[in-house]
Amino acid sequence: MKEGPDIAHIAALIGDPARANMLTALMSGKALTVSELAEEAGVTIQTASSHLSKLDDGGLLRPRKQGRHKYFALASDEVAHVLEGLMGLAAGSGYLRKRTGPRDAELRLARVCYNHLAGDMGTQMFDSLVERGHLVLDGEELELTEAGVAFATGFEIDIESLRKARAPVCRECLDWSERRSHLAGSLGRAFLGRFEELSWAKRDQKTRVVTFTRNGAEKFNKLFPVT
Amino acid sequence: MKEGPDIAHIAALIGDPARANMLTALMSGKALTVSELAEEAGVTIQTASSHLSKLDDGGLLRPRKQGRHKYFALASDEVAHVLEGLMGLAAGSGYLRKRTGPRDAELRLARVCYNHLAGDMGTQMFDSLVERGHLVLDGEELELTEAGVAFATGFEIDIESLRKARAPVCRECLDWSERRSHLAGSLGRAFLGRFEELSWAKRDQKTRVVTFTRNGAEKFNKLFPVT
DNA sequence: TTCATAGTTCGATCTTAGTCGAAGCATTGG
DNA sequence: CCAATGCTTCGACTAAGATCGAACTATGAA
């Protein structure tokens, strides 16, 4: 009864529809302004401002001021992770917000989950990396092997600079649609970044959908084969 | 805005203090009656009943009727997993319900997390198993190796009967205190059960604390060494 | 300076939902 | 059959908080 952290407080923060919409929008990984988030949530700017300060107080967001704009992003991978978990529960209990439409299918195939690739293609990438020994689970953490470093470097990802940042390089993250792990962390982000640089895929501006070109999908499947 | 599952609904379910207390109580893994949960949450039986039916509708609980009692348990490991994640966020943002007292230290050392061992000793067990190659992350799932099966069998755990049940044998679960993985799933449950059978440890009835005897702790450390 | 845009704060309104008393079922035990 | 226990349903009360209009602050541009 009075043991452990105050779970109700932060769950209540996520539990308001307007705030949940904002958080969902931020799952795209991009930092958004107050006005953008207000529109996303379907409320006025005043209420959005109020909601955002509450979320910030709860430690769920990381605000950044830039000129006369104020950008908000999710505070950490952990926040994103919990949100995905909640989506999994919501999807599982059939509480879908929208009837499964074409948009939903696209989301299941490939979407952005706080800066990295999720959905069917996300888990394919993860499985492929593990299968070929580029990633291994070492104790609590996912680790990049020698072979994995070589592989990433060959794909023109600079592992060293990733390692200098404080954020963990590899993390696993559970899909709400696939219920399987995919690669998060700064390496996950770097991969997605490269896909965009190479024009294999691009993110939809408004939704979390990631669309691969035909050519990009082919290259992707060649790079991340699964048995 | 209208993509993805309805995260707000189930977050709101968890977001009420009374319901959060109930869920936290159920993290012990035991099934509890309506009256017990009412007391745990500090509300009358009527309100508890109302809350529980909502939680059930949301798919978070698995009810079971037995005579004139109605027992509730968490619906799945996934629910427990999300709850642990929320505790991690709450603990991280400093929203502790209670000042860190002796009870809190005990909780961090060893506690029950939905039927399996969590806390410092839980992660030690997990790390040790992985380090010695008894567990490996294979794609999406945690898998028990040949060596792992032999090890468990040597500890008088019947892996075959576990495999017959539908529930996954191995799962990883994230600690809110340690922020590291520990072993969940039916195997995790089996290990904890054996500890109790051997009188190495026993669970506190009211809290989630698991107390090891001096002898039990020694045996435990010998069985699950870490470098 | 003046205007425009981005956000915040304040105050009033109004809906939602948590709460409990009381009555109603259901199951067990004499 | 009647009493006791465990739980659910109903109805009324209440409080918390989401919402927005309007006024206010801050930054940037002309």
Side-chain angles (χ1 to χ4, degrees):
Chain A
M1 171 177 175
K2 35 190 174 311
E3 34 168 319
D6 186 2
I7 187 182
H9 178 251
I10 83 142
L13 283 179
I14 308 175
D16 177 76
R19 288 194 291 259
N21 282 333
M22 294 178 179
L23 291 170
T24 306
L26 289 172
M27 286 289 280
S28 70
K30 293 192 299 189
L32 299 174
T33 65
V34 178
S35 328
E36 289 169 326
L37 288 165
E39 174 158 10
E40 204 68 43
V43 293
T44 63
I45 303 184
Q46 303 96 296
T47 52
S49 175
S50 154
H51 283 312
L52 288 167
S53 63
K54 283 173 191 169
L55 288 171
D56 188 18
D57 287 349
L60 298 181
L61 298 182
R62 177 180 307 150
R64 202 192 323 170
K65 287 188 84 167
Q66 223 165 84
R68 55 181 168 182
H69 293 273
K70 191 166 179 184
Y71 288 93
F72 285 94
L74 295 186
S76 67
D77 279 8
E78 270 149 300
V79 174
H81 189 251
V82 167
L83 291 177
E84 277 276 323
L86 284 169
M87 288 183 190
L89 291 183
S93 45
Y95 266 91
L96 281 168
R97 187 101 62 99
K98 198 185 183 180
R99 297 279 156 232
T100 46
R103 168 73 43 87
D104 198 72
E106 284 179 330
L107 275 176
R108 280 169 198 276
L109 178 61
R111 67 176 180 280
V112 161
C113 166
Y114 191 59
N115 264 331
H116 56 265
L117 186 65
D120 197 35
M121 297 185 75
T123 58
Q124 174 182 339
M125 181 170 101
F126 184 82
D127 291 354
S128 176
L129 287 171
V130 171
E131 205 167 85
R132 289 186 292 160
H134 294 157
L135 286 176
V136 282
L137 181 76
D138 173 28
E140 73 277 17
E141 284 178 347
L142 205 56
E143 286 233 339
L144 199 60
T145 61
E146 292 280 320
V149 173
F151 177 80
T153 307
F155 196 53
E156 297 188 21
I157 289 174
D158 182 4
I159 297 291
E160 279 316 307
S161 64
L162 295 184
R163 286 212 169 119
K164 275 173 195 150
R166 272 170 311 182
V169 174
C170 301
R171 267 185 76 89
E172 57 175 334
C173 181
L174 198 68
D175 253 68
W176 63 260
S177 56
E178 298 296 311
R179 303 212 176 187
R180 292 165 59 187
S181 289
H182 58 247
L183 179 64
S186 59
L187 180 59
R189 173 183 316 194
F191 268 114
L192 180 57
R194 284 293 291 157
F195 299 153
E196 293 180 285
E197 275 175 33
L198 295 170
S199 297
W200 288 10
K202 66 167 190 273
R203 312 191 198 182
D204 190 272
Q205 289 298 66
K206 280 285 158 195
T207 70
R208 295 166 61 199
V209 172
V210 174
T211 30
F212 275 74
T213 64
R214 179 181 303 251
N215 179 37
E218 267 177 29
K219 297 267 182 62
F220 181 93
N221 284 324
K222 203 164 290 175
L223 193 62
F224 302 106
V226 279
T227 51
Chain B
M1 169 173 177
K2 34 192 176 307
E3 34 167 323
D6 186 2
I7 187 182
H9 178 250
I10 84 142
L13 284 178
I14 309 174
D16 176 77
R19 286 194 291 257
N21 282 333
M22 295 178 179
L23 291 170
T24 306
L26 290 172
M27 286 288 281
S28 70
K30 293 193 300 191
L32 299 175
T33 66
V34 178
S35 330
E36 288 169 325
L37 288 165
E39 174 158 9
E40 203 68 42
V43 294
T44 62
I45 302 184
Q46 304 95 296
T47 53
S49 175
S50 155
H51 283 312
L52 288 167
S53 65
K54 284 173 191 170
L55 287 172
D56 188 19
D57 287 347
L60 297 181
L61 299 182
R62 178 179 307 150
R64 203 192 322 172
K65 287 189 85 166
Q66 225 165 81
R68 56 182 166 179
H69 293 273
K70 190 166 180 182
Y71 288 93
F72 284 93
L74 294 186
S76 66
D77 279 8
E78 269 150 300
V79 175
H81 189 252
V82 167
L83 292 176
E84 280 274 324
L86 284 169
M87 288 183 188
L89 290 183
S93 47
Y95 266 90
L96 282 167
R97 187 101 62 101
K98 198 184 184 181
R99 297 280 156 233
T100 46
R103 166 74 43 87
D104 198 70
E106 285 178 330
L107 274 176
R108 278 167 201 277
L109 178 61
R111 68 176 179 282
V112 161
C113 165
Y114 191 60
N115 264 331
H116 55 265
L117 186 64
D120 198 34
M121 297 184 75
T123 58
Q124 174 182 338
M125 181 170 102
F126 184 82
D127 290 354
S128 177
L129 288 171
V130 171
E131 205 168 85
R132 289 186 291 160
H134 294 156
L135 286 175
V136 281
L137 181 76
D138 172 30
E140 73 277 17
E141 284 178 347
L142 205 55
E143 285 232 339
L144 199 59
T145 61
E146 292 281 320
V149 173
F151 177 81
T153 307
F155 196 53
E156 297 189 22
I157 289 174
D158 183 4
I159 297 291
E160 279 318 306
S161 65
L162 294 185
R163 287 213 169 118
K164 275 173 196 150
R166 271 170 311 180
V169 174
C170 301
R171 266 186 76 89
E172 56 176 339
C173 180
L174 198 68
D175 253 69
W176 63 262
S177 56
E178 298 297 311
R179 300 210 177 189
R180 291 164 59 187
S181 290
H182 58 248
L183 180 63
S186 59
L187 181 60
R189 171 182 318 194
F191 268 113
L192 180 56
R194 285 292 291 157
F195 299 153
E196 292 180 286
E197 275 175 33
L198 295 169
S199 297
W200 287 9
K202 66 165 191 274
R203 313 190 196 184
D204 190 88
Q205 289 300 63
K206 278 287 157 195
T207 70
R208 296 166 60 199
V209 172
V210 173
T211 31
F212 275 73
T213 64
R214 179 181 303 252
N215 178 36
E218 267 176 30
K219 296 266 181 62
F220 181 93
N221 284 324
K222 204 164 289 178
L223 192 62
F224 302 106
V226 279
T227 51

